[in-house]
Amino acid sequence: MAVVDDHGEQDRAVDAGADAAVGAARAVEESGRRPLVVDLCTGSGAIAVAFAAEVPRARVIAVEIDSAAAELARENCRRHAPRRVRVLRAVTENAVRA
């Protein structure tokens, strides 16, 4: 039995979503307002760093529940987007309930 794992369609969907989000933030920026970008479950902080680079006037907040991941995100954001991204560690007791 062969397993084919083609992420092409999934990758295109993720790219389209990211492009739409960046486009929306840029539209807010172009209207003279400062966009707010919140990256929930930030993990390494890579998406927050990318937003900080792509939308220079955006206020970027990265939120992570795992303390080790939050520390990694802080380190990455300091290194790649100094003073551009605020990393917060969420506490599960304060999480939004469905």
Side-chain angles (χ1 to χ4, degrees), residues 43-95:
S44 69
I47 291 172
V49 167
F51 262 101
E54 291 290 324
V55 189
R57 291 188 54 230
R59 178 177 176 209
V60 182
I61 300 172
V63 181
E64 178 55 55
I65 203 166
D66 180 79
S67 59
E71 189 51 43
L72 175 62
R74 280 188 192 94
E75 181 181 322
N76 286 333
C77 291
R78 272 194 297 265
R79 179 177 298 138
H80 301 291
R83 295 178 298 282
R84 292 291 328 282
V85 179
R86 182 175 181 197
V87 178
L88 302 175
R89 182 174 172 278
V91 179
T92 56
E93 292 83 34
N94 296 333

Side-chain angles (χ1 to χ4, degrees), residues 25-60:
R26 284 183 177 154
V28 170
E29 189 175 54
E30 289 168 5
S31 75
R33 294 176 290 158
R34 186 175 182 202
L36 171 62
V37 175
V38 180
D39 177 12
L40 298 175
C41 304
T42 195
S44 69
I47 291 172
V49 167
F51 262 101
E54 291 290 324
V55 189
R57 291 188 54 230
R59 178 177 176 209
V60 182

